[in-house]
Amino acid sequence: MNCWGVIPAAGIGSRLGAAVPKQYLEIAGRTLLEHSLRALFADARVKGVAVALRAGDERAAALACLQDPRVLRVEGGAERADSVAAGLAALGERAAEDDWVLVHDAARPCLDAKSLGALIDAVAAGGSGAILAQPVSDTVKRSDDGNTVAATVDRRSLWLAQTPQLFRLGELTRALAGAGAVTDEASAMEAAGHPVGLVPGPRTNFKVTTADDLLLARCLLAAGENS
């Protein structure tokens, strides 16, 4: 199974309110981007990763992990989909259309090797793309005004999408080109009519978006380093 990766890392992480883009915040001696990149390379089936960076990004030059010959640095875009498309285009010079591509968030540093392996194994066995996702376990409320409960939503069919999301290079490239604004790659594949499988992912594979997330990631990664 020929497998590659794309990490969109051109954002500025404005919601976190940090002094630097969140992918460059350090936890346990490494930036979030380094942790996320290392997580993909933990599986030997990943042959290379395209990292999409903001134009003029000077911090990237200081990261030793980006000097790895398996890493392809490309210029990202204003939106996530633009950065992913740039990464896919760069991989197209090395990979075949029917090769598989893992798209993973730069700010999702706690991906474990077991979950990554389970995703790749599931896709290899089933032959169609899939994503890591977490079944919703809490009671879900819907609010129409942001202040009061309008209804309780049936959670039995609800999942929280995670990354990596794993699809064929050619199919994903075409799906993103015709999808417009999407928040993840699975949405583009769904719109293009492709089946998208669900592989259960752990709660620890969360995206760092808020200060609380950063604190939790620091605890988890520090514990992992100590162990």
Side-chain angles (χ1 to χ4, degrees):
M1 184 174 181
N2 290 326
C3 198
W4 306 81
V6 170
I7 296 182
I12 59 174
S14 57
R15 281 181 291 177
L16 188 60
V20 301
K22 63 182 177 182
Q23 61 268 30
Y24 293 117
L25 293 174
E26 287 196 10
I27 294 178
R30 297 186 180 93
T31 64
L32 298 187
L33 175 56
E34 288 176 285
H35 284 293
S36 297
L37 183 59
R38 281 164 55 91
L40 290 188
F41 280 137
D43 195 298
R45 289 170 288 188
V46 178
K47 298 178 178 299
V49 177
V51 180
L53 302 165
R54 188 161 45 92
D57 186 342
E58 298 178 353
R59 293 184 176 88
L63 296 184
C65 67
L66 296 185
Q67 312 307 318
D68 188 311
R70 297 172 296 174
V71 174
L72 192 61
R73 288 189 284 179
V74 300
E75 184 176 318
E79 303 295 335
R80 174 195 173 87
D82 300 325
S83 293
V84 173
L88 294 175
L91 288 179
E93 300 177 5
R94 300 186 179 188
E97 273 211 345
D98 60 352
D99 283 356
W100 295 93
V101 179
L102 293 152
V103 182
H104 186 48
D105 293 326
R108 202 177 289 266
C110 300
L111 172 66
D112 63 282
K114 181 179 179 181
S115 298
L116 175 60
L119 174 62
I120 297 176
D121 289 344
V123 168
S128 60
I131 67 172
L132 286 180
Q134 180 192 338
V136 173
S137 58
D138 293 331
T139 299
V140 179
K141 303 293 185 181
R142 193 192 81 241
S143 175
D144 295 332
D145 61 4
N147 295 306
T148 56
V149 173
T152 299
V153 180
D154 187 351
R155 71 186 181 203
R156 288 175 294 180
S157 62
L158 299 180
W159 293 67
L160 301 176
Q162 300 179 349
T163 69
Q165 303 194 350
L166 180 56
F167 303 105
R168 290 194 187 275
L169 172 60
E171 290 177 348
L172 180 55
T173 300
R174 290 186 288 273
L176 284 174
V182 292
T183 56
D184 72 349
E185 294 64 50
S187 299
M189 295 294 284
E190 295 158 30
H194 296 286
V196 177
L198 292 167
V199 177
R203 287 186 179 222
T204 51
N205 186 32
F206 59 89
K207 184 178 181 180
V208 173
T209 304
T210 67
D212 287 345
D213 296 334
L214 187 62
L215 178 61
L216 180 56
R218 181 173 288 115
C219 293
L220 289 171
L221 291 172
E225 290 291 327
N226 291 335
S227 65

